[in-house]
Amino acid sequence: MAPGGGFCVKAVESHPPVADSSTVPTTSKSNTTTKRSAVNVLGKRGIRSNNGVYELLECSVCTNLMYPPIHQCPNGHTLCSNCKNRVLNCCPTCRRDLGNIRCLALEKVAESLEFPCRYQNLGCLDIFPYYDKLKHEQNCRLRPYNCPYAGSECSVTGDIPKLVAHLKDDHKVDMHDGCTFNHRYVKMNPREVENATWMLTVFNCFGRKFCLHFEAFQLGKAPVYMAFLRFMGDDNEAKRFGYSLKVGANGRKLIWQGIPRSIRDSHRKVRDSLDGLVIQRNLALYFSGGDRRELKLRITGRIWKDE
């Protein structure tokens, strides 16, 4: 019996397959660059090529395209490294022990193949060598954006118009026109701070959309309050804009000036980097005045465009 060829005692139920959204055209060999413009490429996602070589690269468990290391059982059934861990080293097809067999031949064949970007239906018509495809898709400028709302783990993705409508209709986010803002934030008991977003407001400025976040969260043992701006678009365009935030009272003030971060960067990444106006609790209560039992902060700011 081949090494690793024993039978599994019990088959592990695999997760429902998730179809890979890549489609596969018949390509010409006339262009040898690593990225080519796709001509007569199928536009519908989920349609697979009739070429059996491409189908061999689909994982038998999740049906996504496989990348090294590609594993196989003694009977030749292949699966990706993620699914190998999920099925507890037991082949879901023949129930043999998987062992640690690499399918080097299939990995080598993959080097000669080309695939279109999975976002071709969103307008990306480039074709890439198999092993470059995944890296491109992680940074494709036409890939969908994640919902910027931070009050819940929202899984909605899409282009900017779709996300703006989603924020307005589903999250009931306030929409404002203009490049200046003057917001007042009030909390009855500022000493009870949870890691939760307080408010998100979307501004339409210079024909672009910006998300103004204001929230309280725990930093070490003490709560802090933070305001920051995110740009609804890519980072290279976000750098064309600047913004400032100001808070103060009783003859004192804090001013922050910076560049809005793209919503490509997650809300948590921006928040945890403290890339915005950060107000310590004691100072925030001082700005609030009164008996310091209620938080009352007025934050003003503006957005500008660098020419």
PDB file of all heavy atoms in Angstrom, residues 187-217:
ATOM      1  N   LYS A 187     -22.897  62.467  24.979  1.00  0.00           N
ATOM      2  CA  LYS A 187     -23.052  61.169  25.634  1.00  0.00           C
ATOM      3  C   LYS A 187     -23.337  61.417  27.106  1.00  0.00           C
ATOM      4  O   LYS A 187     -22.607  62.144  27.773  1.00  0.00           O
ATOM      5  CB  LYS A 187     -21.799  60.317  25.474  1.00  0.00           C
ATOM      6  CG  LYS A 187     -21.963  58.885  26.005  1.00  0.00           C
ATOM      7  CD  LYS A 187     -20.746  58.044  25.679  1.00  0.00           C
ATOM      8  CE  LYS A 187     -20.877  56.634  26.254  1.00  0.00           C
ATOM      9  NZ  LYS A 187     -22.057  55.930  25.720  1.00  0.00           N
ATOM     10  N   MET A 188     -24.403  60.786  27.595  1.00  0.00           N
ATOM     11  CA  MET A 188     -24.855  61.062  28.954  1.00  0.00           C
ATOM     12  C   MET A 188     -23.850  60.583  29.999  1.00  0.00           C
ATOM     13  O   MET A 188     -23.592  61.285  30.972  1.00  0.00           O
ATOM     14  CB  MET A 188     -26.220  60.401  29.196  1.00  0.00           C
ATOM     15  CG  MET A 188     -27.322  60.958  28.304  1.00  0.00           C
ATOM     16  SD  MET A 188     -27.537  62.743  28.512  1.00  0.00           S
ATOM     17  CE  MET A 188     -28.038  62.810  30.217  1.00  0.00           C
ATOM     18  N   ASN A 189     -23.279  59.398  29.835  1.00  0.00           N
ATOM     19  CA  ASN A 189     -22.324  58.872  30.811  1.00  0.00           C
ATOM     20  C   ASN A 189     -21.026  58.520  30.099  1.00  0.00           C
ATOM     21  O   ASN A 189     -20.855  57.399  29.619  1.00  0.00           O
ATOM     22  CB  ASN A 189     -22.885  57.640  31.519  1.00  0.00           C
ATOM     23  CG  ASN A 189     -21.997  57.207  32.695  1.00  0.00           C
ATOM     24  OD1 ASN A 189     -20.885  57.717  32.867  1.00  0.00           O
ATOM     25  ND2 ASN A 189     -22.493  56.282  33.496  1.00  0.00           N
ATOM     26  N   PRO A 190     -20.108  59.446  29.995  1.00  0.00           N
ATOM     27  CA  PRO A 190     -18.868  59.205  29.236  1.00  0.00           C
ATOM     28  C   PRO A 190     -17.954  58.177  29.868  1.00  0.00           C
ATOM     29  O   PRO A 190     -16.982  57.749  29.244  1.00  0.00           O
ATOM     30  CB  PRO A 190     -18.209  60.588  29.208  1.00  0.00           C
ATOM     31  CG  PRO A 190     -18.738  61.283  30.421  1.00  0.00           C
ATOM     32  CD  PRO A 190     -20.146  60.788  30.588  1.00  0.00           C
ATOM     33  N   ARG A 191     -18.206  57.780  31.108  1.00  0.00           N
ATOM     34  CA  ARG A 191     -17.347  56.782  31.757  1.00  0.00           C
ATOM     35  C   ARG A 191     -17.723  55.360  31.366  1.00  0.00           C
ATOM     36  O   ARG A 191     -16.997  54.420  31.671  1.00  0.00           O
ATOM     37  CB  ARG A 191     -17.398  56.967  33.269  1.00  0.00           C
ATOM     38  CG  ARG A 191     -16.672  58.224  33.722  1.00  0.00           C
ATOM     39  CD  ARG A 191     -16.829  58.468  35.218  1.00  0.00           C
ATOM     40  NE  ARG A 191     -15.995  59.587  35.647  1.00  0.00           N
ATOM     41  CZ  ARG A 191     -16.306  60.865  35.473  1.00  0.00           C
ATOM     42  NH1 ARG A 191     -17.427  61.180  34.850  1.00  0.00           N
ATOM     43  NH2 ARG A 191     -15.498  61.824  35.878  1.00  0.00           N
ATOM     44  N   GLU A 192     -18.854  55.191  30.744  1.00  0.00           N
ATOM     45  CA  GLU A 192     -19.264  53.876  30.251  1.00  0.00           C
ATOM     46  C   GLU A 192     -19.007  53.830  28.750  1.00  0.00           C
ATOM     47  O   GLU A 192     -19.850  54.178  27.938  1.00  0.00           O
ATOM     48  CB  GLU A 192     -20.740  53.622  30.554  1.00  0.00           C
ATOM     49  CG  GLU A 192     -21.049  53.523  32.042  1.00  0.00           C
ATOM     50  CD  GLU A 192     -22.517  53.268  32.300  1.00  0.00           C
ATOM     51  OE1 GLU A 192     -23.296  53.228  31.309  1.00  0.00           O
ATOM     52  OE2 GLU A 192     -22.904  53.133  33.472  1.00  0.00           O
ATOM     53  N   VAL A 193     -17.800  53.424  28.414  1.00  0.00           N
ATOM     54  CA  VAL A 193     -17.371  53.442  27.018  1.00  0.00           C
ATOM     55  C   VAL A 193     -17.230  52.019  26.509  1.00  0.00           C
ATOM     56  O   VAL A 193     -16.562  51.190  27.127  1.00  0.00           O
ATOM     57  CB  VAL A 193     -16.025  54.191  26.859  1.00  0.00           C
ATOM     58  CG1 VAL A 193     -15.555  54.119  25.414  1.00  0.00           C
ATOM     59  CG2 VAL A 193     -16.194  55.633  27.295  1.00  0.00           C
ATOM     60  N   GLU A 194     -17.860  51.735  25.410  1.00  0.00           N
ATOM     61  CA  GLU A 194     -17.724  50.449  24.759  1.00  0.00           C
ATOM     62  C   GLU A 194     -16.989  50.639  23.443  1.00  0.00           C
ATOM     63  O   GLU A 194     -16.932  51.743  22.897  1.00  0.00           O
ATOM     64  CB  GLU A 194     -19.100  49.821  24.496  1.00  0.00           C
ATOM     65  CG  GLU A 194     -19.908  49.563  25.766  1.00  0.00           C
ATOM     66  CD  GLU A 194     -21.274  48.997  25.441  1.00  0.00           C
ATOM     67  OE1 GLU A 194     -21.621  48.953  24.241  1.00  0.00           O
ATOM     68  OE2 GLU A 194     -21.993  48.624  26.386  1.00  0.00           O
ATOM     69  N   ASN A 195     -16.416  49.545  22.920  1.00  0.00           N
ATOM     70  CA  ASN A 195     -15.747  49.605  21.624  1.00  0.00           C
ATOM     71  C   ASN A 195     -16.798  49.628  20.519  1.00  0.00           C
ATOM     72  O   ASN A 195     -17.064  48.627  19.866  1.00  0.00           O
ATOM     73  CB  ASN A 195     -14.811  48.422  21.445  1.00  0.00           C
ATOM     74  CG  ASN A 195     -13.612  48.537  22.369  1.00  0.00           C
ATOM     75  OD1 ASN A 195     -13.176  49.635  22.688  1.00  0.00           O
ATOM     76  ND2 ASN A 195     -13.088  47.416  22.798  1.00  0.00           N
ATOM     77  N   ALA A 196     -17.451  50.730  20.381  1.00  0.00           N
ATOM     78  CA  ALA A 196     -18.535  50.832  19.406  1.00  0.00           C
ATOM     79  C   ALA A 196     -18.492  52.185  18.718  1.00  0.00           C
ATOM     80  O   ALA A 196     -18.129  53.196  19.311  1.00  0.00           O
ATOM     81  CB  ALA A 196     -19.890  50.647  20.079  1.00  0.00           C
ATOM     82  N   THR A 197     -18.867  52.197  17.479  1.00  0.00           N
ATOM     83  CA  THR A 197     -18.917  53.441  16.730  1.00  0.00           C
ATOM     84  C   THR A 197     -20.098  54.282  17.191  1.00  0.00           C
ATOM     85  O   THR A 197     -21.191  53.763  17.405  1.00  0.00           O
ATOM     86  CB  THR A 197     -19.059  53.137  15.235  1.00  0.00           C
ATOM     87  OG1 THR A 197     -17.908  52.419  14.804  1.00  0.00           O
ATOM     88  CG2 THR A 197     -19.183  54.400  14.420  1.00  0.00           C
ATOM     89  N   TRP A 198     -19.867  55.545  17.301  1.00  0.00           N
ATOM     90  CA  TRP A 198     -20.953  56.438  17.671  1.00  0.00           C
ATOM     91  C   TRP A 198     -21.700  56.930  16.437  1.00  0.00           C
ATOM     92  O   TRP A 198     -22.903  56.896  16.384  1.00  0.00           O
ATOM     93  CB  TRP A 198     -20.399  57.652  18.422  1.00  0.00           C
ATOM     94  CG  TRP A 198     -20.048  57.375  19.831  1.00  0.00           C
ATOM     95  CD1 TRP A 198     -19.955  56.157  20.429  1.00  0.00           C
ATOM     96  CD2 TRP A 198     -19.739  58.331  20.825  1.00  0.00           C
ATOM     97  NE1 TRP A 198     -19.611  56.289  21.726  1.00  0.00           N
ATOM     98  CE2 TRP A 198     -19.463  57.616  22.009  1.00  0.00           C
ATOM     99  CE3 TRP A 198     -19.655  59.714  20.843  1.00  0.00           C
ATOM    100  CZ2 TRP A 198     -19.123  58.250  23.204  1.00  0.00           C
ATOM    101  CZ3 TRP A 198     -19.313  60.343  22.017  1.00  0.00           C
ATOM    102  CH2 TRP A 198     -19.052  59.628  23.188  1.00  0.00           C
ATOM    103  N   MET A 199     -20.954  57.400  15.467  1.00  0.00           N
ATOM    104  CA  MET A 199     -21.643  58.050  14.352  1.00  0.00           C
ATOM    105  C   MET A 199     -20.817  57.965  13.077  1.00  0.00           C
ATOM    106  O   MET A 199     -19.585  57.982  13.102  1.00  0.00           O
ATOM    107  CB  MET A 199     -21.891  59.531  14.692  1.00  0.00           C
ATOM    108  CG  MET A 199     -22.646  60.305  13.614  1.00  0.00           C
ATOM    109  SD  MET A 199     -23.028  62.011  14.103  1.00  0.00           S
ATOM    110  CE  MET A 199     -24.211  61.708  15.425  1.00  0.00           C
ATOM    111  N   LEU A 200     -21.519  57.835  11.970  1.00  0.00           N
ATOM    112  CA  LEU A 200     -20.912  57.914  10.641  1.00  0.00           C
ATOM    113  C   LEU A 200     -21.753  58.867   9.811  1.00  0.00           C
ATOM    114  O   LEU A 200     -22.978  58.749   9.762  1.00  0.00           O
ATOM    115  CB  LEU A 200     -20.864  56.530   9.980  1.00  0.00           C
ATOM    116  CG  LEU A 200     -20.472  56.513   8.499  1.00  0.00           C
ATOM    117  CD1 LEU A 200     -19.047  57.011   8.311  1.00  0.00           C
ATOM    118  CD2 LEU A 200     -20.617  55.110   7.917  1.00  0.00           C
ATOM    119  N   THR A 201     -21.096  59.819   9.185  1.00  0.00           N
ATOM    120  CA  THR A 201     -21.761  60.778   8.311  1.00  0.00           C
ATOM    121  C   THR A 201     -21.044  60.784   6.972  1.00  0.00           C
ATOM    122  O   THR A 201     -19.810  60.748   6.923  1.00  0.00           O
ATOM    123  CB  THR A 201     -21.735  62.194   8.917  1.00  0.00           C
ATOM    124  OG1 THR A 201     -22.263  62.143  10.240  1.00  0.00           O
ATOM    125  CG2 THR A 201     -22.552  63.152   8.080  1.00  0.00           C
ATOM    126  N   VAL A 202     -21.801  60.823   5.884  1.00  0.00           N
ATOM    127  CA  VAL A 202     -21.223  60.850   4.545  1.00  0.00           C
ATOM    128  C   VAL A 202     -21.376  62.249   3.961  1.00  0.00           C
ATOM    129  O   VAL A 202     -22.467  62.833   3.989  1.00  0.00           O
ATOM    130  CB  VAL A 202     -21.899  59.811   3.624  1.00  0.00           C
ATOM    131  CG1 VAL A 202     -21.395  59.956   2.190  1.00  0.00           C
ATOM    132  CG2 VAL A 202     -21.628  58.398   4.133  1.00  0.00           C
ATOM    133  N   PHE A 203     -20.269  62.786   3.430  1.00  0.00           N
ATOM    134  CA  PHE A 203     -20.262  64.113   2.821  1.00  0.00           C
ATOM    135  C   PHE A 203     -20.006  63.999   1.320  1.00  0.00           C
ATOM    136  O   PHE A 203     -19.140  63.240   0.883  1.00  0.00           O
ATOM    137  CB  PHE A 203     -19.174  64.991   3.451  1.00  0.00           C
ATOM    138  CG  PHE A 203     -19.482  65.421   4.854  1.00  0.00           C
ATOM    139  CD1 PHE A 203     -19.134  64.632   5.931  1.00  0.00           C
ATOM    140  CD2 PHE A 203     -20.146  66.616   5.092  1.00  0.00           C
ATOM    141  CE1 PHE A 203     -19.423  65.008   7.222  1.00  0.00           C
ATOM    142  CE2 PHE A 203     -20.447  67.008   6.387  1.00  0.00           C
ATOM    143  CZ  PHE A 203     -20.090  66.203   7.457  1.00  0.00           C
ATOM    144  N   ASN A 204     -20.774  64.767   0.567  1.00  0.00           N
ATOM    145  CA  ASN A 204     -20.559  64.889  -0.875  1.00  0.00           C
ATOM    146  C   ASN A 204     -19.794  66.187  -1.113  1.00  0.00           C
ATOM    147  O   ASN A 204     -20.333  67.276  -0.925  1.00  0.00           O
ATOM    148  CB  ASN A 204     -21.893  64.899  -1.613  1.00  0.00           C
ATOM    149  CG  ASN A 204     -21.725  65.066  -3.112  1.00  0.00           C
ATOM    150  OD1 ASN A 204     -20.678  64.728  -3.661  1.00  0.00           O
ATOM    151  ND2 ASN A 204     -22.742  65.594  -3.769  1.00  0.00           N
ATOM    152  N   CYS A 205     -18.523  66.046  -1.505  1.00  0.00           N
ATOM    153  CA  CYS A 205     -17.646  67.210  -1.625  1.00  0.00           C
ATOM    154  C   CYS A 205     -16.742  67.029  -2.843  1.00  0.00           C
ATOM    155  O   CYS A 205     -16.138  65.960  -3.008  1.00  0.00           O
ATOM    156  CB  CYS A 205     -16.830  67.351  -0.344  1.00  0.00           C
ATOM    157  SG  CYS A 205     -15.606  68.672  -0.355  1.00  0.00           S
ATOM    158  N   PHE A 206     -16.660  68.031  -3.692  1.00  0.00           N
ATOM    159  CA  PHE A 206     -15.866  67.963  -4.927  1.00  0.00           C
ATOM    160  C   PHE A 206     -16.287  66.782  -5.804  1.00  0.00           C
ATOM    161  O   PHE A 206     -15.479  66.208  -6.523  1.00  0.00           O
ATOM    162  CB  PHE A 206     -14.368  67.869  -4.622  1.00  0.00           C
ATOM    163  CG  PHE A 206     -13.804  69.055  -3.886  1.00  0.00           C
ATOM    164  CD1 PHE A 206     -13.437  68.943  -2.559  1.00  0.00           C
ATOM    165  CD2 PHE A 206     -13.657  70.280  -4.537  1.00  0.00           C
ATOM    166  CE1 PHE A 206     -12.915  70.035  -1.877  1.00  0.00           C
ATOM    167  CE2 PHE A 206     -13.134  71.380  -3.859  1.00  0.00           C
ATOM    168  CZ  PHE A 206     -12.772  71.254  -2.530  1.00  0.00           C
ATOM    169  N   GLY A 207     -17.564  66.418  -5.736  1.00  0.00           N
ATOM    170  CA  GLY A 207     -18.060  65.325  -6.543  1.00  0.00           C
ATOM    171  C   GLY A 207     -17.628  63.960  -6.044  1.00  0.00           C
ATOM    172  O   GLY A 207     -17.816  62.952  -6.742  1.00  0.00           O
ATOM    173  N   ARG A 208     -17.054  63.884  -4.844  1.00  0.00           N
ATOM    174  CA  ARG A 208     -16.614  62.634  -4.243  1.00  0.00           C
ATOM    175  C   ARG A 208     -17.307  62.455  -2.897  1.00  0.00           C
ATOM    176  O   ARG A 208     -17.840  63.398  -2.325  1.00  0.00           O
ATOM    177  CB  ARG A 208     -15.088  62.617  -4.062  1.00  0.00           C
ATOM    178  CG  ARG A 208     -14.321  62.723  -5.367  1.00  0.00           C
ATOM    179  CD  ARG A 208     -14.503  61.474  -6.214  1.00  0.00           C
ATOM    180  NE  ARG A 208     -13.646  61.489  -7.389  1.00  0.00           N
ATOM    181  CZ  ARG A 208     -14.013  61.965  -8.567  1.00  0.00           C
ATOM    182  NH1 ARG A 208     -15.213  62.516  -8.708  1.00  0.00           N
ATOM    183  NH2 ARG A 208     -13.193  61.925  -9.593  1.00  0.00           N
ATOM    184  N   LYS A 209     -17.251  61.231  -2.383  1.00  0.00           N
ATOM    185  CA  LYS A 209     -17.910  60.927  -1.116  1.00  0.00           C
ATOM    186  C   LYS A 209     -16.853  60.666  -0.036  1.00  0.00           C
ATOM    187  O   LYS A 209     -15.849  59.982  -0.268  1.00  0.00           O
ATOM    188  CB  LYS A 209     -18.809  59.698  -1.258  1.00  0.00           C
ATOM    189  CG  LYS A 209     -19.928  59.874  -2.288  1.00  0.00           C
ATOM    190  CD  LYS A 209     -20.889  60.975  -1.906  1.00  0.00           C
ATOM    191  CE  LYS A 209     -22.131  60.980  -2.776  1.00  0.00           C
ATOM    192  NZ  LYS A 209     -21.820  61.288  -4.196  1.00  0.00           N
ATOM    193  N   PHE A 210     -17.108  61.225   1.161  1.00  0.00           N
ATOM    194  CA  PHE A 210     -16.208  61.083   2.300  1.00  0.00           C
ATOM    195  C   PHE A 210     -17.006  60.599   3.511  1.00  0.00           C
ATOM    196  O   PHE A 210     -18.145  61.014   3.716  1.00  0.00           O
ATOM    197  CB  PHE A 210     -15.532  62.413   2.635  1.00  0.00           C
ATOM    198  CG  PHE A 210     -14.672  62.971   1.536  1.00  0.00           C
ATOM    199  CD1 PHE A 210     -15.232  63.699   0.497  1.00  0.00           C
ATOM    200  CD2 PHE A 210     -13.293  62.762   1.542  1.00  0.00           C
ATOM    201  CE1 PHE A 210     -14.439  64.213  -0.519  1.00  0.00           C
ATOM    202  CE2 PHE A 210     -12.499  63.277   0.539  1.00  0.00           C
ATOM    203  CZ  PHE A 210     -13.074  64.000  -0.503  1.00  0.00           C
ATOM    204  N   CYS A 211     -16.389  59.743   4.311  1.00  0.00           N
ATOM    205  CA  CYS A 211     -17.020  59.210   5.525  1.00  0.00           C
ATOM    206  C   CYS A 211     -16.362  59.822   6.752  1.00  0.00           C
ATOM    207  O   CYS A 211     -15.162  59.633   6.980  1.00  0.00           O
ATOM    208  CB  CYS A 211     -16.878  57.689   5.585  1.00  0.00           C
ATOM    209  SG  CYS A 211     -17.718  56.802   4.262  1.00  0.00           S
ATOM    210  N   LEU A 212     -17.139  60.535   7.539  1.00  0.00           N
ATOM    211  CA  LEU A 212     -16.634  61.103   8.790  1.00  0.00           C
ATOM    212  C   LEU A 212     -17.042  60.188   9.938  1.00  0.00           C
ATOM    213  O   LEU A 212     -18.219  59.979  10.205  1.00  0.00           O
ATOM    214  CB  LEU A 212     -17.206  62.507   9.012  1.00  0.00           C
ATOM    215  CG  LEU A 212     -16.820  63.183  10.331  1.00  0.00           C
ATOM    216  CD1 LEU A 212     -15.315  63.406  10.415  1.00  0.00           C
ATOM    217  CD2 LEU A 212     -17.570  64.500  10.513  1.00  0.00           C
ATOM    218  N   HIS A 213     -16.044  59.625  10.621  1.00  0.00           N
ATOM    219  CA  HIS A 213     -16.278  58.727  11.744  1.00  0.00           C
ATOM    220  C   HIS A 213     -16.008  59.459  13.052  1.00  0.00           C
ATOM    221  O   HIS A 213     -15.053  60.228  13.156  1.00  0.00           O
ATOM    222  CB  HIS A 213     -15.337  57.516  11.680  1.00  0.00           C
ATOM    223  CG  HIS A 213     -15.523  56.653  10.474  1.00  0.00           C
ATOM    224  ND1 HIS A 213     -16.302  55.525  10.479  1.00  0.00           N
ATOM    225  CD2 HIS A 213     -15.023  56.760   9.208  1.00  0.00           C
ATOM    226  CE1 HIS A 213     -16.277  54.962   9.285  1.00  0.00           C
ATOM    227  NE2 HIS A 213     -15.501  55.690   8.496  1.00  0.00           N
ATOM    228  N   PHE A 214     -16.855  59.207  14.031  1.00  0.00           N
ATOM    229  CA  PHE A 214     -16.579  59.672  15.389  1.00  0.00           C
ATOM    230  C   PHE A 214     -16.981  58.553  16.346  1.00  0.00           C
ATOM    231  O   PHE A 214     -18.090  58.029  16.261  1.00  0.00           O
ATOM    232  CB  PHE A 214     -17.354  60.939  15.724  1.00  0.00           C
ATOM    233  CG  PHE A 214     -17.004  61.480  17.081  1.00  0.00           C
ATOM    234  CD1 PHE A 214     -15.880  62.268  17.241  1.00  0.00           C
ATOM    235  CD2 PHE A 214     -17.776  61.185  18.192  1.00  0.00           C
ATOM    236  CE1 PHE A 214     -15.530  62.756  18.495  1.00  0.00           C
ATOM    237  CE2 PHE A 214     -17.437  61.664  19.449  1.00  0.00           C
ATOM    238  CZ  PHE A 214     -16.312  62.452  19.601  1.00  0.00           C
ATOM    239  N   GLU A 215     -16.070  58.182  17.247  1.00  0.00           N
ATOM    240  CA  GLU A 215     -16.356  57.055  18.116  1.00  0.00           C
ATOM    241  C   GLU A 215     -15.562  57.110  19.395  1.00  0.00           C
ATOM    242  O   GLU A 215     -14.615  57.898  19.542  1.00  0.00           O
ATOM    243  CB  GLU A 215     -16.079  55.743  17.397  1.00  0.00           C
ATOM    244  CG  GLU A 215     -14.615  55.541  17.044  1.00  0.00           C
ATOM    245  CD  GLU A 215     -14.435  54.197  16.355  1.00  0.00           C
ATOM    246  OE1 GLU A 215     -14.767  54.104  15.177  1.00  0.00           O
ATOM    247  OE2 GLU A 215     -13.969  53.271  17.023  1.00  0.00           O
ATOM    248  N   ALA A 216     -15.968  56.267  20.319  1.00  0.00           N
ATOM    249  CA  ALA A 216     -15.260  56.078  21.577  1.00  0.00           C
ATOM    250  C   ALA A 216     -14.775  54.642  21.638  1.00  0.00           C
ATOM    251  O   ALA A 216     -15.459  53.722  21.202  1.00  0.00           O
ATOM    252  CB  ALA A 216     -16.188  56.373  22.745  1.00  0.00           C
ATOM    253  N   PHE A 217     -13.576  54.445  22.162  1.00  0.00           N
ATOM    254  CA  PHE A 217     -13.065  53.090  22.332  1.00  0.00           C
ATOM    255  C   PHE A 217     -12.032  53.093  23.443  1.00  0.00           C
ATOM    256  O   PHE A 217     -11.535  54.144  23.862  1.00  0.00           O
ATOM    257  CB  PHE A 217     -12.478  52.538  21.028  1.00  0.00           C
ATOM    258  CG  PHE A 217     -11.304  53.310  20.486  1.00  0.00           C
ATOM    259  CD1 PHE A 217     -10.000  52.908  20.744  1.00  0.00           C
ATOM    260  CD2 PHE A 217     -11.508  54.447  19.703  1.00  0.00           C
ATOM    261  CE1 PHE A 217      -8.920  53.617  20.242  1.00  0.00           C
ATOM    262  CE2 PHE A 217     -10.437  55.152  19.200  1.00  0.00           C
ATOM    263  CZ  PHE A 217      -9.142  54.736  19.460  1.00  0.00           C
TER     264      PHE A 217
END
